[in-house]
Amino acid sequence: YSLASSRAVQLQRFALAAFWYSTGGPNTWMNDPPWLTPVDECTEWRSEQALSDIRITCSSSVVTRISISVPEVAGTLPEEMVLLSGLESIFLSSNLLVGTLPANIGLWTSLQQLIVTNNNLEGTLPTEIGQLTRLTELSLNSNRLEGEVPTQLANLLLLDKLDLTGNQLSGTIHVSLCELGVTTLRVDCADIVCDCCDGC
């Protein structure tokens, strides 16, 4: 994957700016990030306040990882985030994020890790999550997600870790997901039927 056109660069910068503003960037990230300046958005940059706790990682000028573990970062995950089509890893832990996962989450076709834990995300798990066929880890524990676990999780053939504990989800973990050999599979056993889970 590469940024082959100026339009692709503009979309990437736009998506990063939308994410920055939507998560309270002007108030909590302290300094202006490069995507709001003429500086290349993949220039080494960290928040003065958070130091290494907020990091954007690139490969060949493509944003591949967003990692934030700062409690002051609050807000929602904007739909524009899916324009970061080269993302391989999202790590958002112990923030004050609210709202829902992006409805068009299935466009993150390069995503390998989706880790959004210890936040206040609400709503249901979108069925489109089953389109993320490169996922090896899906950890959404300690949020406020509700509704039934989508059967489309069984499409994640490369999945090695699934953690949905600490939510208000219900339903059943499809038997085919059990047969994939997932190393870590954790759900709230009182609310979700799972014959192969190794933790509740």
Side-chain angles (χ1 to χ4, degrees), residues 122-138:
E122 301 174 329
T124 61
L125 282 178
T127 57
E128 289 81 4
I129 207 165
Q131 299 173 25
L132 307 180
T133 55
R134 296 187 182 182
L135 268 189
T136 59
E137 179 174 356
L138 176 61

Side-chain angles (χ1 to χ4, degrees), residues 100-157:
T100 63
L101 290 168
N104 47 1
I105 193 173
L107 296 178
W108 273 328
T109 55
S110 297
L111 203 61
Q112 299 172 24
Q113 292 179 306
L114 178 56
I115 305 169
V116 187
T117 62
N118 295 300
N119 279 282
N120 295 303
L121 293 184
E122 301 174 329
T124 61
L125 282 178
T127 57
E128 289 81 4
I129 207 165
Q131 299 173 25
L132 307 180
T133 55
R134 296 187 182 182
L135 268 189
T136 59
E137 179 174 356
L138 176 61
S139 294
L140 300 172
N141 51 291
S142 301
N143 281 285
R144 299 179 180 177
L145 299 170
E146 58 186 7
E148 291 204 2
V149 176
T151 59
Q152 288 81 0
L153 289 182
N155 297 334
L156 307 179
L157 302 181

Side-chain angles (χ1 to χ4, degrees), residues 42-64:
C42 287
T43 298
E44 181 68 18
W45 171 85
R46 297 186 182 93
S47 163
E48 292 175 355
Q49 175 180 339
L51 299 177
S52 61
D53 292 332
I54 299 178
R55 184 175 298 188
I56 307 296
T57 305
C58 296
S59 176
S60 301
S61 298
V62 176
V63 174
T64 57

Side-chain angles (χ1 to χ4, degrees), residues 36-99:
L36 295 183
T37 73
V39 177
D40 187 291
E41 64 269 24
C42 287
T43 298
E44 181 68 18
W45 171 85
R46 297 186 182 93
S47 163
E48 292 175 355
Q49 175 180 339
L51 299 177
S52 61
D53 292 332
I54 299 178
R55 184 175 298 188
I56 307 296
T57 305
C58 296
S59 176
S60 301
S61 298
V62 176
V63 174
T64 57
R65 177 180 172 85
I66 293 178
S67 177
I68 301 179
S69 54
V70 179
E72 292 82 7
V73 173
T76 61
L77 301 179
E79 295 292 332
E80 292 86 351
M81 275 191 74
V82 299
L83 295 174
L84 298 171
S85 54
L87 271 178
E88 298 175 357
S89 178
I90 297 174
F91 180 80
L92 303 171
S93 178
S94 301
N95 318 115
L96 294 174
L97 296 173
V98 297

